[in-house]
Amino acid sequence: MQTEVFQGILIPFLGTTLGSACVLFMKNRLNQMVQRALTGFAAGVMVAASVWSLLIPAMEQSEPMGKLSFLPAAAGFWLGVLFLLMLDRAVPHLHMNSSKAEGPKSSLQKQVLLVLAVTLHNLPEGMAVGVVYAGWLSGDAGITATGALALSLGIAIQNFPEGAIISMPLRAEGVSKGKAFLYGTLSGAVEPVGAALTILAAGFVVPLLPYLLSFAAGAMVYVVVEELIPEMSEGKHSNVGTVLFAAGFTVMMALDVALG
């Protein structure tokens, strides 16, 4: 069981690492249409994971509340949104294709600000994986090992393009291939750390499982709407991002239903 959990929380990080490794073998710059497509796909996966892997299980956990079973999910969802909003304002970061950093003023280098932006939205993904595995380990939370694995695989799939989207533009900015790969990989390191800390706190996590599942969902949806959708929609042929959003949503939905 411990091996399954260890492997499960590392799968999303592996996705980021493999995506970042694209900088070692491909051209320096991603085609804009390809970047929009990858961003759209990642956004679709995150939204589907938020619904099928997090919000629906949160409401199922609250079924004894009857018609009010949506309340813990709604409360947790809004806490997740507000938490990411707070981090967005408290941590200096720079979104891809943006010339102006967000958050407090900082003298940090551009590549560090870019990595911080990706790290911010990787945090709720790590928490989501940790909460689901903590629920499975508890044995009475109605979450299966295959359901937890489905979430890990889904996040790993969307982390692959994210790794490429962070490492390759850094290379185009003049950063060496090795450093670009390292920065891309480090942006995903917060996920297994966040997942492991959540699992270690399982005694506190399980009683609050409906709130924490929906908290992760709210944080992920915030990232999608605030960052990924604008990135996939800018410029000409924005429908490419929309179509790939639908593809990512379908892939994650199928994964969760087939394995969960």
Side-chain angles (χ1 to χ4, degrees):
M1 185 176 289
Q2 289 181 347
T3 302
E4 286 180 79
V5 173
F6 181 72
Q7 291 173 343
I9 65 175
L10 283 181
I11 287 172
F13 180 59
L14 178 61
T16 305
T17 303
L18 292 175
S20 301
C22 290
V23 75
L24 304 175
F25 310 104
M26 297 174 67
K27 293 179 180 179
N28 292 350
R29 190 179 293 274
L30 275 176
N31 177 280
Q32 270 198 334
M33 188 176 292
V34 172
Q35 186 168 319
R36 281 200 296 270
L38 294 176
T39 302
F41 185 85
V45 170
M46 288 178 74
V47 171
S50 297
V51 175
W52 266 271
S53 298
L54 300 170
L55 287 173
I56 290 176
M59 287 184 278
E60 288 174 348
Q61 292 293 310
S62 305
E63 281 182 352
M65 296 178 67
K67 292 182 179 180
L68 298 179
S69 60
F70 71 92
L71 283 177
F77 184 87
W78 269 101
L79 286 172
V81 169
L82 294 173
F83 177 69
L84 256 290
L85 177 61
M86 181 190 71
L87 283 184
D88 219 20
R89 291 172 178 260
V91 178
H93 59 284
L94 179 66
H95 294 305
M96 199 63 63
N97 301 325
S98 177
S99 58
K100 187 176 181 181
E102 296 183 11
K105 290 184 179 179
S106 171
S107 58
L108 293 172
Q109 294 182 330
K110 181 178 180 180
Q111 53 262 40
V112 176
L113 291 170
L114 285 168
V115 172
L116 282 173
V118 179
T119 302
L120 274 179
H121 78 235
N122 280 340
L123 180 61
E125 295 168 14
M127 290 177 58
V129 172
V131 168
V132 170
Y133 271 104
W136 172 56
L137 287 172
S138 73
D140 60 0
I143 295 173
T144 64
T146 51
L149 178 62
L151 179 61
S152 289
L153 287 172
I155 290 178
I157 289 169
Q158 70 96 21
N159 277 354
F160 181 86
E162 279 189 357
I165 287 169
I166 188 70
S167 65
M168 295 188 71
L170 286 175
R171 175 58 180 156
E173 292 283 337
V175 178
S176 70
K177 286 188 175 184
K179 279 190 175 180
F181 169 69
L182 179 62
Y183 282 133
T185 301
L186 287 177
S187 71
V190 68
E191 291 190 17
V193 173
L197 290 175
T198 305
I199 291 169
L200 288 174
F204 302 99
V205 167
V206 173
L208 299 173
L209 199 62
Y211 296 93
L212 292 172
L213 286 167
S214 51
F215 177 94
M220 287 169 66
V221 168
Y222 177 92
V223 168
V224 170
V225 177
E226 196 269 342
E227 181 179 347
L228 300 186
I229 288 179
E231 286 181 9
M232 80 181 200
S233 303
E234 63 183 10
K236 295 180 180 180
H237 308 298
S238 59
N239 55 342
V240 171
T242 305
V243 171
L244 266 293
F245 176 97
F249 188 96
T250 305
V251 167
M252 184 62 221
M253 177 178 65
L255 260 180
D256 192 83
V257 173
L259 296 180

